[in-house]
Amino acid sequence: MSSFRSRLDTLRGPIEPKPHNARSLAAFTANPGCRRRALLDAAGVDKDALAVHLGYPLPPTQSPRALSRGAQFEAQVKDQGGAELLSLLRNVLHLPLAEAAHSDLSVLGTSDKSLSVRHARTRSLILEAARGKGPSRTMLDHPVLVLMVSGRPVFLEPDLVAFQSEGVFHVVEIKSFAVIDGQAPGDKVAGAVLQGAAYIIALQELLASAGLDIDRVSTTLLLITPRDFTRRPMASTVDASQQIKSLRRQLNRLDGVEELLDQLPTGITFDLAYDGDDPRTRTATRDRDDLTKALNTTQARYRSNCRHHCQLALFCRSQAHDGQLVDVLGSAAREDLGSIDTIPAALGLADGSLSPAPDQEDLAAALRYAESIRNELFGGAA
Amino acid sequence: MSLLTTLQQARAAQTQYAQPLSRLRYLHVADQPMLILPLNRPGETARPLAVMAGSDPSSPQLFLAPPGDDDRFLAVLAEHLHAYIHSFQHATRIRPAKGEQPERREYLDAPQLVVTGTASVYYLKTLGRALRYRPIPEGTDPATSVSHLGRWLTFFTERAEYASSSLLLNLTSLLSTHWATGQSALEDAHLAPLMAWIFPPHGRTGHQAALTVENPLQHPPDGPTIDPSFETAQLTSLFADLKSARGSRREHHVTRLREALESYLTPTWNLAWEALSTLRGMPPIPSTTTRWDTDIRRFTAHSDHLDAGGPPQPKQDDAVTAAVRLAELEHAAASLEAARALEDTFVMAERRTTGEAFSGTVTHTEPDRKIKPQGPRQRAKRRPLLTVRTTDPVRLEPNRLLAGPHDPAVHMAVCDITYTSDATEIVLEVRTRVSSPHSVPAVGTTLLLTTAPDHFRRPQFPGRDQIPWTHTGPVLGAPKEEQA
């Protein structure tokens, strides 16, 4: 393992690995076939800095005001020891009593330094509760959970872990997108559920490590959102079991990073060669072409929606464009063209200047037919 | 997507210039549509910060909702939109009775709203939902109320779900039916990169032009979401200044906010009108008028509903309404595609690549075939037969009604299909216009045939009192979370 870790350290260069969070873990399930991103994420490379240095920065997609509004909503919901939250949970979970012991772990500090302290405290509180030694009903606020990702602990901070008297733990996600008449934008819900799945897995691991049954963690996520157009919270339950399965699968695949490492030439690094230690003043000095060469030893799989979850998207898009890959045309064209990877190949098969591989016969015939119709319509010269 | 479109996309990527798809438009473009560019307040749900709207390209109106001043904004916006909508509620015509339809009064024309893309359609829908249940203040005219604004927005966005409706035009999706670009649908959903591909500036390729307009600080993207770079660069400090200022200081900051948003929206405003005049310049297919007539009828009906003091649209459709609506949406889409195929060579060609249309040669005819009387008082009917041979890959089943652009009114039903090693023989029975000279083409004629629009019958649903309780769905109560 240590040699594996040191190889990842070599990939990253002499800086701190970029910490993961639930959002970046959830992104693993998007485009899992991209080996380039698998390696970069496993090594904790700062993809944003990489993209900026290569001249392909991804414009920011997060609204600062939306972030602060989200934080405000969370604070409002948890106000006064979570009184409002408790009544919502009582309705959804049918908690029998009006009271629950509310433990706020942020009193132990909120800096990154305090993460391991808070995690230890979270662990002991949860195990106490699970073994029936603590208060019968616990609400853990600002807990810290851990997932091992490619041999490294990743600290996760769910909005809340609620504990129900029947001995089942529930993860609560507080989100600031509105649920209007019982409906919410699908992509927002999907994102929330994926993040929740990361927390649920971390909680399952915690119990399993203490020899407890992972069925004590509910795979149903509790989602607290504003109702309609108000700032009033409401609770919904969402089944997260599918997302838990798929995220577990991706996390296991990360352990397959070692195989990907084996395929890289020795000594490859994505180190940006900073000229100092202070993140605010240092500059990257790595030669761009050299860095691009290093990246090219990894296999990217560009998809048009990469920009939603990977900071390197525009760099990969430009490479896909230079390589004339079908991928730049989006998913519909890619599905239409099946096993044909490049645009020249598609056009060559269509005009008959290329002969198809045995498994492309049918598609090539369909392309030639479509091309003949195209010529009827627009004339041969385009 | 058809392989034909995919090939055009591939060619666009290779040449770096957009490639033509259909060259005829199938939606109505009004002489004076109302362009609406909404911008949402970051971090809020359906709370506009500004809306740029108007039907005169040279004088955009910016309606601003500075923090702490929402309601006046809504009243002014409502007034403006209502004035536009009401201007269509004067000129009427009488539709004579036809068949079961009684005589009807209809407006001569209808308003048309225009937005840049699907995200804005969704935004107006949510905004309509947010406003339509607002109470109408005592002693005010409901027709100019914010509640009615919500109902109109709901009406337009619900109609927009029909592929055949032109009441609310979605520019990027319309442009995408006429041009293939070398970028993905995700990138085509934004007006600036799409227009850059179609009309690159002189000396640049579509691909280069599209990359240039991707910089949000130099080319603000179309809404309704405000670009975070703009928010960080300008809005954050403007909001902070507004929060602490009173009186004339506040006025000053409101003016600054107005100017910032004007300069943010103006490029999109100009681009949208350019896109509109491009679309308007395309020749419409003949059936476009009929579809716009349907829109006018719907507009008339909704106007009457509001005038009669009818209730706002429900929060959720009940089971029956939802079923009917879904069937209608499917019917509208299918019959639109069939009508387009008969009137637009590109759509017909597309259908040939998907096996829904074919070109073939008439090899045999029986023009005088008669079928036996169907009942005691019926006479024998003339039902000519013809056989068409095609080498196109076809996907047809017996009884499908076909028609061709040579005479769309002649419908023929598929009776029999025989596949040989190198071709397909299809026996057709002429069902309509049997006495027309076109109904039985001569042997040797080349025919282009596809599914007839009439093949898609509007589904008939039983009346509400005829539906057993097992099929009327639950009483709508506690909302369940939508699963993504």
Side-chain angles (χ1 to χ4, degrees), chain A residues 317-325 328-329 343-344 347 382, chain B residues 7-20 179-183 193-212:
Chain A
R317 183 184 67 174
S318 150
Q319 286 202 318
H321 177 263
D322 293 345
Q324 298 188 287
L325 301 184
V328 297
L329 302 178
I343 289 162
L347 293 171
Chain B
L7 270 181
Q8 287 297 75
Q9 263 199 295
R11 210 162 293 267
Q14 192 197 34
T15 59
Q16 301 211 4
Y17 287 99
Q19 297 294 306
W179 279 279
T181 69
Q183 61 186 6
L194 181 58
M195 285 293 277
W197 263 98
I198 300 172
F199 302 111
H202 188 68
R204 321 202 55 177
T205 66
H207 172 72
Q208 291 166 336
L211 287 185
T212 309

Side-chain angles (χ1 to χ4, degrees), chain A residues 3-251:
Chain A
S3 86
F4 171 60
R5 286 281 292 270
S6 73
R7 284 159 77 194
L8 288 179
D9 290 344
T10 310
L11 273 191
R12 191 183 58 252
I15 50 167
E16 280 295 297
K18 187 108 179 134
H20 277 288
N21 53 33
R23 193 183 289 269
S24 67
L25 287 183
F28 284 163
T29 57
N31 197 6
C34 179
R35 297 172 170 195
R36 175 174 291 172
R37 196 179 57 145
L39 279 164
L40 293 173
D41 281 345
V45 173
D46 183 346
K47 299 197 295 288
D48 207 7
L50 215 56
V52 170
H53 187 61
L54 290 162
Y56 290 95
L58 193 64
T61 50
Q62 267 289 359
S63 151
R65 194 163 181 273
L67 284 177
S68 68
R69 299 285 295 189
Q72 270 173 26
F73 179 69
E74 187 183 335
Q76 172 202 329
V77 170
K78 291 178 178 177
D79 202 23
Q80 296 166 0
E84 180 147 48
L85 186 61
L86 195 60
S87 72
L88 285 170
L89 294 181
R90 216 178 22 248
N91 291 337
V92 176
L93 296 178
H94 313 293
L95 282 174
L97 291 173
E99 306 252 326
H102 177 268
S103 332
D104 187 350
L105 287 122
S106 62
V107 295
L108 300 171
T110 52
S111 71
D112 290 346
K113 300 265 187 302
S114 64
L115 280 172
S116 52
V117 180
R118 277 163 61 203
H119 172 59
R121 182 81 186 118
T122 305
R123 189 184 154 87
S124 64
L125 279 174
I126 287 181
L127 292 179
E128 267 173 35
R131 293 180 178 129
K133 291 181 182 148
S136 63
R137 252 170 258 96
T138 306
M139 275 172 51
L140 288 184
D141 200 352
H142 299 109
V144 172
L145 299 170
V146 163
L147 261 185
M148 293 304 278
V149 177
S150 48
R152 249 197 210 84
V154 170
F155 290 107
L156 301 174
E157 300 185 69
D159 291 336
L160 192 102
V161 175
F163 179 55
Q164 207 210 146
S165 53
E166 275 85 69
V168 179
F169 290 95
H170 292 268
V171 171
V172 179
E173 246 327 298
I174 301 173
K175 289 283 170 195
S176 59
F177 60 82
V179 172
I180 299 164
D181 301 333
Q183 308 223 340
D187 54 338
K188 297 239 162 97
V189 177
V193 177
L194 262 178
Q195 285 182 43
Y199 302 136
I200 291 171
I201 293 172
L203 199 51
Q204 289 175 334
E205 297 291 298
L206 195 161
L207 292 186
S209 70
L212 292 162
D213 190 354
I214 64 168
D215 289 346
R216 307 271 309 262
V217 184
S218 168
T219 55
T220 299
L221 181 72
L222 300 173
L223 199 57
I224 310 287
T225 56
R227 181 191 292 280
D228 298 343
F229 301 94
T230 64
R231 305 288 292 167
R232 309 291 320 132
M234 64 177 278
S236 334
T237 54
V238 192
D239 176 21
S241 45
Q242 280 308 319
Q243 285 82 349
I244 293 169
K245 278 196 195 110
S246 99
L247 190 53
R248 271 197 182 275
R249 208 170 33 242
Q250 296 316 325
L251 289 171

Side-chain angles (χ1 to χ4, degrees), chain B residues 122-439:
Chain B
Y122 182 77
Y123 186 74
L124 293 186
K125 181 183 173 178
T126 316
L127 185 61
R129 161 63 185 83
L131 303 180
R132 67 177 183 256
Y133 300 111
R134 291 217 176 178
I136 298 167
E138 283 291 318
T140 58
D141 179 9
T144 58
S145 65
V146 168
S147 166
H148 274 214
L149 169 66
R151 300 182 202 187
W152 276 119
L153 289 177
T154 304
F155 165 77
F156 279 102
T157 48
E158 281 187 351
R159 286 300 301 161
E161 291 174 21
Y162 289 79
S164 53
S165 169
S166 314
L167 285 166
L168 174 59
L169 292 185
N170 170 343
L171 289 175
T172 46
S173 97
L174 262 182
L175 288 167
S176 298
T177 61
H178 298 295
W179 279 279
T181 69
Q183 61 186 6
S184 70
L186 209 83
E187 286 140 335
D188 278 347
H190 282 287
L191 189 61
L194 181 58
M195 285 293 277
W197 263 98
I198 300 172
F199 302 111
H202 188 68
R204 321 202 55 177
T205 66
H207 172 72
Q208 291 166 336
L211 287 185
T212 309
V213 300
E214 277 192 344
N215 179 337
L217 282 172
Q218 283 165 4
H219 301 270
D222 46 336
T225 306
I226 291 180
D227 183 72
S229 312
F230 172 75
E231 188 190 336
T232 308
Q234 301 203 33
L235 279 191
T236 308
S237 69
L238 282 167
F239 277 13
D241 291 344
L242 268 174
K243 204 166 183 167
S244 54
R246 296 281 171 274
S248 66
R249 290 293 304 155
R250 184 178 159 85
E251 285 305 310
H252 168 70
H253 292 313
V254 169
T255 308
R256 285 175 56 219
L257 179 65
R258 174 179 292 278
E259 283 165 358
L261 290 166
E262 262 171 2
S263 65
Y264 183 89
L265 281 167
T266 301
T268 303
W269 174 266
N270 294 331
L271 211 51
W273 285 106
E274 213 177 299
L276 257 173
S277 61
T278 302
L279 290 165
R280 192 183 284 119
M282 293 188 149
I285 54 175
S287 56
T288 306
T289 324
T290 323
R291 281 188 294 276
W292 182 239
D293 278 345
T294 306
D295 280 332
I296 292 175
R297 208 163 49 240
R298 296 284 184 148
F299 166 67
T300 307
H302 192 67
S303 301
D304 294 348
H305 173 82
L306 287 181
D307 292 345
Q313 295 92 339
K315 285 187 181 179
Q316 280 165 335
D317 284 342
D318 59 64
V320 178
T321 313
V324 172
R325 185 175 161 76
L326 191 61
E328 279 190 344
L329 286 175
E330 283 175 354
H331 175 262
S335 63
L336 167 71
E337 278 309 301
R340 281 184 74 198
L342 293 175
E343 298 172 27
D344 181 343
T345 50
F346 178 84
V347 183
M348 183 60 107
E350 250 194 327
R351 297 193 131 208
R352 283 177 68 189
T353 65
T354 55
E356 294 165 288
F358 62 94
S359 163
T361 312
V362 179
T363 55
H364 174 79
T365 61
E366 291 179 40
D368 300 320
R369 172 174 170 261
K370 296 222 169 23
I371 52 170
K372 285 200 192 90
Q374 302 293 303
R377 320 184 89 172
Q378 304 253 352
R379 287 183 314 172
K381 284 189 183 141
R382 191 160 160 241
R383 286 279 182 270
L385 279 186
L386 60 144
T387 308
V388 179
R389 184 176 185 276
T390 178
T391 54
D392 286 358
V394 287
R395 288 189 307 173
L396 293 169
E397 74 287 352
N399 282 329
R400 185 171 275 261
L401 271 191
L402 303 180
H406 63 286
D407 184 349
V410 176
H411 292 170
M412 322 167 196
V414 175
C415 295
D416 187 42
I417 308 168
T418 317
Y419 296 98
T420 60
S421 60
D422 58 343
T424 311
E425 301 256 344
I426 302 153
V427 179
L428 299 163
E429 179 186 75
V430 181
R431 294 254 174 103
T432 60
R433 305 280 302 262
V434 286
S435 47
S436 132
H438 291 297
S439 68

